[in-house]
Amino acid sequence: MLTPLLVSMLTDQALITIVVAIAVVLVVGTTGLVVARRRRAELPSATQPPSVEGGSTEVAEPQVGDDAEEPRDTPTRTLEDTELPEPTTPTIEKPESAQGRLVRLRARLARSQGSLGKGLLALLSRDKLDEEAWEDIETTLITADVGVAPTQELVEKLRTRMRVEGVGAQQAREILREELIALVNPALDRSLKVTRKEAQPAVVLVVGVNGTGKTTTVGRLARVLVAEDKHVVLGAADTFRAAAADQLQTWGERVGARTVRGPEGGDPASIAFDSVKEGIAEEADVVLVDTAGRLHTKTGLMDELGKVKRVIEKSAEVDEVLLVIDATTGQNGLTQARVFAEVIDVTGLVLTKLDGTAKGGIVIAVQRELGVPVKLVGLGEGADDLAPFDAEQFVDALLD
Ligand SMILES: Nc1nc2c(ncn2[C@@H]2O[C@H](COP(=O)(O)OP(=O)(O)OP(=O)(O)O)[C@@H](O)[C@H]2O)c(=O)[nH]1
């Protein structure tokens, strides 16, 4: 209690402050007590001691190591029946093998080249094969990019045979079929040199102008080879187009083939060399080297191609140089072929986008031009739309 002396020493204001403080302490203390009591009253019955079998209400105190939670009424899963999440690693595809690919794609070839075959057949089946009819036949062949010399040769043969043997549409079809097959030349060796030699993988170099389908061809060829159980290494020597190495790597990953790549804008010859070295170390069957698209008119770039090949040859023989030609480019494709063949020994031709042109005659023209066989044809944008070329199947598709 405040003594009268102390009270007299305090000012009025200080006195009021002390009284208010005491009142606040009393109010807060009382409220706390009331709330605590209410909470306890509201606690659910589960927190009450559970009744134990036998009627005893005594509760065992939890010990160290006891479960913190109440036991569940469902059995605990074992390791065996626990479902693991799906693995996220990409699944390796098993591509379609080369056999029968052209058969599968024949309808597509027939669709694009149908007008050439059917046009020729309609003209040859006329009752009267006069000069005008023969001129129309020539025009049809030249329009389809067969080329002037092969066209004249074919027309000459057809004229002779039709005069001697030709009676009726069926006969005309048979004669045309035989002469077209002879023109495409079934005797040419169209096999790909992709067999591993003693201690070395086969090396395939893929070349051509921009956008003809080189990277797509390398990717699809890798699929064909993997389907034949070959171990393939890809070399991304197209350091010119930024996305080319990624594009190639994606193709490789789909079939489990490793891609050797270097820095963007790096030296293509050194990447080609590294990929072959890697192929030797991995004991691969085939190394497929993709190169940058280069305009045949740019001398520097064309010389670079020769260098790429020479550098590879320091460690392995180059077994195939495949020149990729876009079939839709017609006569320009022929010019490209000529220039490439001057700087590098082309061993095989790949005609892409045959599905996108009615001018399948380019097959005949370009083979004649280079004396090199068409080995593969591209008939669509799909992963398995690359097929080994076959003279008879090609001609049959034209005449379907
Ligand atoms: N329709 C069709 N399209 C094709 C075929 N082959 C390739 N293509 C398409 O042609 C385009 C160019 O193909 P790429 O493989 O990138 O060409 P590239 O020659 O590597 O290109 P660069 O590296 O720029 O020289 C792509 O859109 C391919 O899908 C084919 O046979 N048919």
Side-chain angles (χ1 to χ4, degrees):
M1 275 288 122
L2 300 169
T3 59
L5 180 66
L6 198 57
V7 171
S8 66
M9 285 168 70
L10 293 170
T11 61
D12 280 356
Q13 206 176 356
L15 204 57
I16 291 167
T17 309
I18 289 170
V19 170
V20 169
I22 291 170
V24 168
V25 169
L26 282 175
V27 169
V28 169
T30 316
T31 313
L33 270 175
V34 170
V35 169
R37 245 188 233 149
R38 265 206 204 136
R39 285 234 178 105
R40 230 171 291 139
E42 282 168 6
L43 278 177
S45 57
T47 59
Q48 298 296 320
S51 64
V52 179
E53 228 178 319
S56 162
T57 55
E58 211 176 293
V59 183
E61 285 291 316
Q63 301 296 313
V64 175
D66 282 355
D67 284 340
E69 290 176 16
E70 280 185 62
R72 296 186 301 187
D73 52 2
T74 50
T76 314
R77 288 182 299 170
T78 62
L79 191 61
E80 284 74 24
D81 56 28
T82 302
E83 275 181 31
L84 294 171
E86 287 293 314
T88 49
T89 41
T91 42
I92 305 290
E93 293 173 23
K94 179 77 181 164
E96 183 190 1
S97 75
Q99 272 175 340
R101 275 191 186 205
L102 196 53
V103 175
R104 175 175 65 80
L105 296 171
R106 202 169 120 171
R108 212 174 287 173
L109 192 57
R111 216 177 301 136
S112 61
Q113 308 302 319
S115 57
L116 167 62
K118 286 196 193 79
L120 287 175
L121 266 183
L123 289 166
L124 281 176
S125 308
R126 279 189 192 169
D127 289 340
K128 202 165 130 262
L129 271 170
D130 52 18
E131 275 313 304
E132 201 187 299
W134 286 113
E135 265 173 34
D136 286 348
I137 289 171
E138 261 190 33
T139 310
T140 306
L141 288 165
I142 287 173
T143 313
D145 278 342
V146 172
V148 177
T151 294
Q152 283 170 352
E153 204 178 291
L154 178 66
V155 167
E156 216 37 60
K157 288 212 174 115
L158 289 174
R159 268 181 183 252
T160 314
R161 286 193 66 180
M162 288 301 287
R163 207 181 307 127
V164 180
E165 317 162 42
V167 262
Q170 188 52 38
Q171 193 71 358
R173 187 183 197 283
E174 207 36 55
I175 291 171
L176 180 62
R177 180 178 183 274
E178 282 174 18
E179 291 306 329
L180 279 174
I181 290 174
L183 208 58
V184 180
N185 197 352
L188 288 177
D189 179 9
R190 297 178 197 276
S191 62
L192 283 174
K193 310 279 176 298
V194 284
T195 309
R196 186 180 157 78
K197 291 147 287 176
E198 264 174 31
Q200 283 188 337
V203 178
V204 179
L205 193 59
V206 178
V207 303
V209 303
N210 310 56
T212 48
K214 292 175 297 303
T215 307
T216 311
T217 297
V218 172
R220 302 202 280 201
L221 187 52
R223 293 175 68 83
V224 171
L225 298 171
V226 167
E228 289 168 4
D229 292 326
K230 288 196 190 293
H231 175 167
V232 179
V233 170
L234 304 177
D238 180 354
T239 54
F240 194 70
R241 184 162 61 91
D246 292 338
Q247 193 186 333
L248 191 64
Q249 191 164 350
T250 305
W251 278 104
E253 279 166 1
R254 286 172 68 179
V255 289
R258 216 162 72 71
T259 303
V260 176
R261 49 191 294 181
E264 202 180 309
D267 177 18
S270 107
I271 295 161
F273 181 81
D274 285 349
S275 56
V276 172
K277 199 172 79 182
E278 194 58 48
I280 294 171
E282 280 187 22
E283 298 187 0
D285 293 296
V286 191
V287 179
L288 300 176
V289 182
D290 183 26
T291 61
R294 59 201 72 230
L295 275 176
H296 51 296
T297 46
K298 295 266 163 77
T299 326
L301 284 175
M302 294 304 284
D303 291 346
E304 185 189 77
L305 206 54
K307 181 184 161 196
V308 171
K309 186 167 180 255
R310 281 193 305 280
V311 170
I312 294 176
E313 282 168 343
K314 285 184 181 172
S315 55
E317 190 188 336
V318 174
D319 300 83
E320 287 275 6
V321 176
L322 296 178
L323 172 63
V324 182
I325 295 172
D326 176 342
T328 63
T329 57
Q331 292 305 308
N332 189 22
L334 278 187
T335 317
Q336 292 163 22
R338 225 173 280 139
V339 181
F340 271 87
E342 278 167 20
V343 297
I344 196 160
D345 276 339
V346 177
T347 60
L349 302 167
V350 182
L351 265 186
T352 56
K353 312 186 195 182
L354 258 183
D355 55 306
T357 176
K359 301 181 169 197
I362 188 81
V363 169
I364 296 162
V366 77
Q367 278 191 166
R368 280 293 183 94
E369 183 69 40
L370 299 194
V372 170
V374 170
K375 293 194 170 179
L376 298 161
V377 283
L379 285 156
E381 290 198 72
D384 290 321
D385 290 346
L386 183 79
F389 183 74
D390 178 276
E392 289 196 20
Q393 283 177 7
F394 175 73
V395 171
D396 284 341
L398 295 194
L399 301 176
D400 262 356

